[in-house]
Amino acid sequence: GQNIDQPTEMTATEGAIVQINCTYQTSGFNGLFWYQQHAAEAPTFLSYNVLDGLEEKGRFSSFLSRSKGYSYLLLKELQMKDSASYLCAVREGSGGGNKLTFGTGTQLKVEL
Amino acid sequence: NAGVTQTPKFQVLKTGQSMTLQCAQDMNHEYMSWYRQDPGMGLRLIHYSVGAGITDQGEVPNGYNVSRSTTEDFPLRLLSAAPSQTSVYFCASSRRISGANVLTFGAGSRLTVL
């Protein structure tokens, strides 16, 4: 089984940088995902990390440390449209199937 | 490309009624799954399928059945609805990227059981 922790809520200012942390405990780590979910909409894929280090995609970056069971999502140059819930999800095991375990999400509010 | 299509978007049931949530994808994805999302609980896996004819249970399978007769369709059946099944249900299908399966979600089905 897995335990995934992320902060419930965060608030940041437009144009600023925000870091959303995710810690996990798992017996067979095989990748970590970040998804964005706007209110009343479906989650959409942001990033994937399976090796240690930083993955950068435009304004969004994601970092992974497998030894620490830790990841973060970094959002730069925040925009109002970035107000959403950010879901950390861990894949455990290998082979077929897509059994992801999701954290409860971090609700980010971007203010003027 | 429609992606992942779920129907209905909204449904109200009485306790004990049965219904099927439909899910179809046109991306030729092998993997399909159903999640439910409840406040403070995050997305929880109900059932998943790695291909036509193959299904398996997720974290919270009780009260739900699935089948996968074709690659495109993965319906979720509630046999006897209970108020605890009031939730938002998401169907998702997967493609591979860099060795991982990236989920594409449908728009969701909001179910209320009275």
Side-chain angles (χ1 to χ4, degrees), chain A residues 18 23-24 26 81:
Chain A
V18 70
T23 59
Y24 63 89
T26 179
K81 67 178 182 179

Side-chain angles (χ1 to χ4, degrees), chain A residues 8-28:
Chain A
T8 303
E9 296 179 338
M10 297 183 73
T11 301
T13 304
E14 188 179 35
I17 299 172
V18 70
Q19 178 175 311
I20 302 174
N21 296 325
C22 172
T23 59
Y24 63 89
Q25 294 174 314
T26 179
S27 55

Side-chain angles (χ1 to χ4, degrees), chain A:
Chain A
Q2 302 186 51
N3 187 30
I4 301 174
D5 290 313
Q6 34 178 150
T8 303
E9 296 179 338
M10 297 183 73
T11 301
T13 304
E14 188 179 35
I17 299 172
V18 70
Q19 178 175 311
I20 302 174
N21 296 325
C22 172
T23 59
Y24 63 89
Q25 294 174 314
T26 179
S27 55
F29 177 83
N30 195 20
L32 187 142
F33 298 78
W34 284 96
Y35 284 81
Q36 180 190 58
Q37 186 177 24
H38 286 100
E41 294 186 8
T44 55
F45 170 73
L46 286 178
S47 69
Y48 168 69
N49 295 72
V50 67
L51 300 176
D52 291 350
L54 189 69
E55 295 281 343
E56 297 188 80
K57 257 187 178 182
R59 293 190 299 115
F60 292 4
S61 304
S62 57
F63 171 82
L64 175 67
S65 169
R66 289 173 296 172
S67 62
K68 295 182 179 178
Y70 167 69
S71 173
Y72 68 73
L73 181 69
L74 193 70
L75 290 75
K76 304 175 186 175
E77 301 169 13
L78 280 172
Q79 302 175 10
M80 297 299 289
K81 67 178 182 179
D82 297 329
S83 292
S85 183
Y86 291 85
L87 314 178
C88 173
V90 175
R91 183 180 182 220
E92 186 176 29
S94 60
N98 196 0
K99 295 178 68 173
L100 293 187
T101 300
F102 283 82
T104 54
T106 298
Q107 188 66 46
L108 174 65
K109 182 179 180 182
V110 180
E111 299 179 328
L112 290 171

